[in-house]
Amino acid sequence: MTVPEGRRIRTILVDDEDLARQVLREFLSAHPEIELVGECANGFEAVKFVAERKPDLVFLDIQMPKLDGFEVLELIGTGPAVIFVTAYDTFAIRAFEVHAVDYLLKPIGTSRFEAALERAKERLSGKLPPPPLPAIELAAAARPPQQYLDRIPVRDGASVFIIPVAKLDYAEAQDDYVALASQGKKHLKQQTISSLEASLDPSRFLRIHRSYVVNLERVSKIEPYGKDSHVAILSTGAQLPVSRAGHARLRAFLDR
Amino acid sequence: MHPILAQLRRLVFYLLGWIPLAGMLAYLLAVPGGLTWWQAGAVAFPLCLLYAFVCLAAWYPCLATPLERSSVPRFLVTHLVGAVAASALWLLVARTLGRMLSASRGFRGIDSRLSDDLPLLFGTGVLLYLLAVGFHYVLLAVEASRQAEARVMQASLLARDAELRALKAQVNPHFLFNSLNSISALTASDPPKAREMCVLLGDFLRRTLGLGEKPSIPLAEEMSLVHAFLAVEKIRYGDRLRMEEAIDPAALDAEVPPLLLQPLVENAVVHGVANLVEGGWIRLGAQRRNGLLEIAIENQFDPEAPPRRRSGVGLVNVRQRLEARYPGHASFLAAASGDRFRVALTLPVESDPVRAVVRNIPQEKIL
């Protein structure tokens, strides 16, 4: 997203602590080119606000009620420029460093703040390219090692659904999206199936086909299908194709 | 004390072990020795019972001649001299026994026949003694390995204790950075409040620094630490943080390990109140009952909160500290039900004898 010359940068602050927003508000007040259009105290509000009002710049705290900063970023996508704010999170900071994402550390100093804002402005004027990494990959990079997702946030317009991974039956690749089947519904999310697979616990989820990742707890039967392939029948009644490699993985898992 | 005489059970097993040896001696006396079976048994069993005790004496020369640090000549001389002396003593007793028995019916002439068997008895005595020497060396090796094991256990306990010390002296960096950020915000909008928060934060830090050194403090002191912590958090979270306390005044002077409750209250703030948009309550209760101090910390939380980006070290740490300090006498229970999380602890109070023993261990020893 770029901001045309002469228009003020529409900015929102997302942090559950009023005092933390207050510091940013104070720093931003010295910049007439910034228009503070909103403040959100939790992740749900932030996603809704971004979907409805489409701000240019978001200051985003990581630890918040409802949705954390990474989940918010996943759902708002790369539309607005984002500056992360955190107190102390070694894994997140490493991910920001590696992927050249702007971030501020609490307590926030003026010079560091000005530098981050300057970069954000350059991004918004098109002088700097946006961070090359999709939001989801950044979130994965910032996750502490050996920690798998235990829930998947999805967005439909301005509303957010949280799918606990235990309630995910399977995921199906659909072009640039994955369809997440859970409790009889399908939710679309912009993500590749490989990156979803990588963020799920491999002892609970298995890639049975180029286009399918299945929750192993849901698999009730595997039946031969045609000459060379198989089909997995889930306890929900869904039937998923199993590729040859997928069948080998499934066998290896079941034999364990 | 001799390891076998130290326990009646061991002595019984040892003496049972001599029964086959006595049987062998009876066989020797009867078949090559020319005694009747009845006579051989009557001589062999008392003699072996006595010799069983004589052979226990081999423990002391074994102790004085450790296998790995003694020269071969010294080893041989010590045990051969021991064997000859023990066997000679045995012969003396055997002859006396023979004389006494020869007076009774059925044993007539046993003394002269025993005299003929003396070389046989002597050889057996030496062999049995040397067998006992071997047995004692095995005992020593077992004892040594058991001690080594105990040392390893002790070392790991000490290491864990040191680790716990380090942990309890640690202030959560999140708390510190967020508090500094709040102060930074207040310096512009409300300078007196900023100053107040500096003082509260300083007060809390000073208390935690001092407390890490002490083995235990009264609950009242721990509670004032908790209050110092909450005073800082209250400025950050405002009305979102609601604390309720129900503390039995009789519990206030009970001694507790320092920084036992503060991490639990911090947990309740970080994983409970902080994740609730409207905030929530934390309830802390403490009472004394039957020589135990019972503490419960309950808080509201959002079961659908974002995944924790930090592991819950606080709970594990408190549980481990209680286990290490009051093994088998403290309990720790943490459980969520619905939107409430509850941690319940019980620990023995000061007057409890178990506690007194624990407190009597000098701190230098633990370090």
Side-chain angles (χ1 to χ4, degrees):
Chain A
M1 176 186 285
T2 54
V3 176
E5 281 286 321
R7 177 158 84 69
R8 297 211 295 167
I9 298 169
R10 303 170 67 248
T11 302
I12 66 164
L13 308 180
V14 184
D15 196 311
D16 62 316
E17 286 175 42
D18 180 46
L19 287 173
R21 293 196 304 271
Q22 196 177 303
V23 180
L24 293 170
R25 212 183 298 140
E26 182 197 329
F27 288 171
L28 286 171
S29 65
H31 292 266
E33 74 280 17
I34 299 286
E35 181 191 1
L36 192 59
V37 292
E39 295 189 14
C40 305
N42 68 68
F44 276 163
E45 275 180 32
V47 173
K48 189 166 187 291
F49 194 101
V50 172
E52 287 169 354
R53 308 277 303 275
K54 308 232 180 302
D56 307 309
L57 176 60
V58 179
F59 285 87
L60 188 54
D61 183 30
I62 294 180
Q63 299 254 309
M64 282 183 300
K66 303 288 185 197
L67 290 173
D68 72 19
F70 289 106
E71 291 174 324
V72 170
L73 181 74
E74 255 183 73
L75 296 176
I76 64 180
T78 41
V82 171
I83 298 178
F84 274 104
V85 185
T86 187
Y88 178 82
D89 186 330
T90 38
F91 299 109
I93 292 166
R94 194 176 311 149
F96 298 152
E97 294 281 357
V98 170
H99 300 295
V101 175
D102 289 322
Y103 69 97
L104 293 171
L105 295 178
K106 292 175 183 175
I108 303 162
T110 339
S111 57
R112 188 71 186 74
F113 173 84
E114 297 297 332
L117 184 62
E118 201 49 45
R119 264 162 67 89
K121 283 197 276 189
E122 281 173 18
R123 271 200 179 135
L124 288 169
S125 66
K127 280 184 216 148
L128 260 183
L133 202 68
I136 271 179
E137 312 285 322
L138 177 69
R143 206 176 304 131
Q146 302 298 317
Q147 193 173 310
Y148 297 107
L149 281 189
D150 45 27
R151 60 187 216 161
I152 304 170
V154 289
R155 182 170 69 95
D156 183 7
S159 40
V160 174
F161 300 96
I162 301 284
I163 304 173
V165 294
K167 295 202 170 141
L168 175 65
D169 302 329
Y170 65 92
E172 179 185 355
Q174 293 185 354
D175 301 321
D176 293 344
Y177 288 82
V178 282
L180 305 165
S182 169
Q183 297 177 297
K185 288 198 195 110
K186 283 195 180 181
H187 305 267
L188 278 185
K189 178 164 181 139
Q190 195 172 13
Q191 184 175 17
T192 65
I193 193 139
S194 298
S195 91
L196 176 69
E197 184 195 0
S199 59
L200 294 171
D201 182 350
S203 68
R204 297 168 67 193
F205 290 88
L206 196 74
R207 183 86 171 260
I208 52 166
H209 184 273
R210 192 163 44 88
S211 303
Y212 292 92
V213 169
V214 72
N215 183 342
L216 288 161
E217 274 178 18
R218 297 290 190 281
V219 178
S220 58
K221 259 194 293 209
I222 300 151
E223 288 183 350
Y225 185 77
K227 194 159 67 76
D228 224 11
S229 59
H230 289 80
V231 61
I233 300 169
L234 306 197
S235 52
T236 59
Q239 303 199 354
L240 307 181
V242 180
S243 66
R244 196 145 21 134
H247 187 248
R249 277 195 289 269
L250 208 48
R251 278 259 71 90
F253 183 85
L254 294 174
D255 290 344
R256 225 176 335 148
Chain B
M1 183 72 178
H2 193 292
I4 288 194
L5 294 177
Q7 277 183 24
L8 185 65
R9 207 167 60 96
R10 287 190 198 161
L11 182 64
V12 169
F13 276 113
Y14 173 75
L15 291 178
L16 286 178
W18 272 84
I19 290 177
L21 294 175
M24 268 161 56
L25 181 67
Y27 173 81
L28 284 178
L29 290 174
V31 180
L35 270 65
T36 67
W37 281 103
W38 168 243
Q39 290 172 340
V43 173
F45 279 87
L47 273 186
C48 278
L49 178 65
L50 171 90
Y51 207 49
F53 286 99
V54 172
C55 282
L56 284 180
W59 169 255
Y60 301 97
C62 286
L63 208 58
T65 325
L67 270 184
E68 63 276 18
R69 288 197 304 277
S70 308
S71 64
V72 176
R74 181 170 165 208
F75 174 80
L76 290 177
V77 168
T78 308
H79 294 307
L80 284 178
V81 167
V84 168
S87 197
L89 179 71
W90 201 34
L91 289 195
L92 209 67
V93 175
R95 286 190 59 179
T96 316
L97 185 67
R99 263 195 221 119
M100 278 158 60
L101 281 177
S102 66
S104 50
R105 207 156 55 85
F107 288 92
R108 227 165 287 281
I110 195 176
D111 49 342
S112 63
R113 231 165 292 150
L114 259 184
S115 300
D116 294 343
D117 291 340
L118 284 185
L120 179 78
L121 263 181
F122 181 76
T124 311
V126 168
L127 281 179
L128 284 177
Y129 181 88
L130 292 179
L131 195 68
V133 166
F135 169 73
H136 280 106
Y137 274 122
V138 171
L139 264 188
L140 277 172
V142 168
E143 195 85 346
S145 83
R146 193 174 301 164
Q147 273 175 15
E149 207 172 290
R151 266 197 301 276
V152 169
M153 276 267 289
Q154 181 123 11
S156 81
L157 272 178
L158 291 184
R160 196 167 72 173
D161 199 74
E163 193 186 344
L164 293 179
R165 260 155 212 287
L167 274 174
K168 75 178 171 181
Q170 204 173 57
V171 172
N172 184 349
H174 263 274
F175 166 70
L176 202 53
F177 291 129
N178 280 311
S179 300
L180 288 172
N181 199 48
S182 302
I183 292 172
S184 160
L186 290 168
T187 44
S189 62
D190 190 348
K193 191 127 194 188
R195 179 170 302 156
E196 183 195 332
M197 194 166 175
C198 281
V199 173
L200 289 170
L201 186 61
D203 183 44
F204 171 73
L205 290 177
R206 195 164 16 248
R207 281 164 188 270
T208 58
L209 288 178
L211 290 181
E213 315 289 315
K214 296 185 193 170
S216 64
I217 55 172
L219 180 65
E221 203 176 329
E222 178 73 13
M223 281 312 299
S224 81
L225 180 81
V226 166
H227 293 148
F229 170 76
L230 286 171
V232 179
E233 293 289 63
K234 185 85 185 149
I235 294 181
R236 265 178 72 197
Y237 290 106
D239 294 337
R240 284 170 70 199
L241 174 55
R242 298 182 286 279
M243 181 73 181
E244 295 164 22
E245 283 174 29
I247 296 190
D248 173 11
L252 283 173
D253 59 353
E255 296 269 318
V256 296
L259 291 162
L260 183 76
L261 301 187
Q262 187 272 331
L264 298 178
V265 173
E266 182 163 349
N267 237 41
V269 173
V270 172
H271 300 295
V273 174
N275 279 329
L276 292 162
V277 175
E278 303 296 328
W281 46 254
I282 299 173
R283 287 183 191 141
L284 199 157
Q287 57 181 326
R288 270 174 97 143
R289 191 184 294 170
N290 305 329
L292 291 175
L293 179 62
E294 301 175 342
I295 300 173
I297 297 174
E298 196 175 1
N299 64 273
Q300 285 180 296
F301 79 107
D302 178 5
E304 289 171 2
R308 300 171 173 193
R309 292 189 55 79
R310 287 175 284 143
S311 54
V313 178
L315 292 183
V316 177
N317 183 9
V318 169
R319 179 200 290 270
Q320 286 185 348
R321 283 176 63 194
L322 282 177
E323 273 171 11
R325 184 148 173 171
Y326 314 101
H329 295 271
S331 72
F332 180 99
L333 218 109
S337 87
D339 68 342
R340 292 178 186 195
F341 189 77
R342 188 168 190 272
V343 179
L345 333 167
T346 57
L347 53 154
V349 286
E350 176 70 86
S351 52
D352 194 279
V354 177
R355 176 56 190 270
V357 170
V358 171
R359 274 176 60 77
N360 282 340
I361 299 173
Q363 286 306 299
E364 295 77 21
K365 245 188 202 164
I366 291 175
L367 284 171

